[in-house]
Amino acid sequence: DKTAEITGFSGEEAFNQPLVATFIMPNLRKSVQEVLDNALMGRGTSNYELEFLTKSNEVRYLLVNATTRRDAENNIVGVVSVAQDVTEAAKHDRAVAAMANELRQLIDTANAPIFGIDVRGDVNEWNDKTAEITGFSGEEAFNQPLVATFIMPNLRKSVQEVLDNALMGRGTSNYELEFLTKSNEVRYLLVNATTRRDAENNIVGVVSVAQDVTEAAKHDRAVAAMANELRQLIDTANAPIFGIDVRGDVNEWNDKTAEIT
């Protein structure tokens, strides 16, 4: 009765019909036939999943045991299956898998660098944009220690502290790091470090979404270098240079001015 209820086919409609060809979804027919053939040779199978096609053309997911059926003389006469209807759980699992796949595509193709580490500090996330700006492919980056391999030496300690904090559940927003590329260039990234957790809320790593600010950082450093050069020029000029603010108070007084006064 239960099989009739979940499939919509009465016993009268189902009896003497080929099970696999009539009721099993085409993509699983070959594997289900193998399971049944094994059972017909005395080798049962536990907990295999099959997709039953119902009378209304819906799919029901069943978790099935296939057991060899024997007569009084121990001759094999067929197969009997006891099933559990796991349709709702299977649909949920497929929805979660589809969502995970969609998220994976979003991460991989995002226009921002996204990378991550496991609890040991080894790379386990490295999207296409990160590969593009660093020159290292995902295959080259995976399982490498992030800090020791890709971060400029002068920032390794501070970046390690940020990652350690995130591994203790304390994320950090907008910290700057310097990535060393495959061609030994430096890329400047503005990064958020976010704690990564599993389904049981255990910390399993850190994921970072970054913004490539290399051009802006280079410009800022060039301006700072120019300002420093100008300051040295003023201080060491062979002519007195002095100045005031809007209140008339001195705010510039170079070495030569000091010397002659």
Side-chain angles (χ1 to χ4, degrees), residues 60-75:
R60 302 298 294 185
Y61 300 92
L62 303 183
L63 198 61
V64 180
N65 292 343
T67 304
T68 305
R69 200 169 199 172
R70 298 175 184 271
D71 63 15
E73 284 76 40
N74 206 35
N75 299 308

Side-chain angles (χ1 to χ4, degrees), residues 11 16 19 50 75 92 99 147 156 178 225 228 232 258:
N16 299 315
L19 175 71
L50 59 79
N75 299 308
H92 176 266
M99 191 182 301
V147 174
R156 284 176 186 167
E178 298 174 11
N228 184 58
Q232 289 180 313

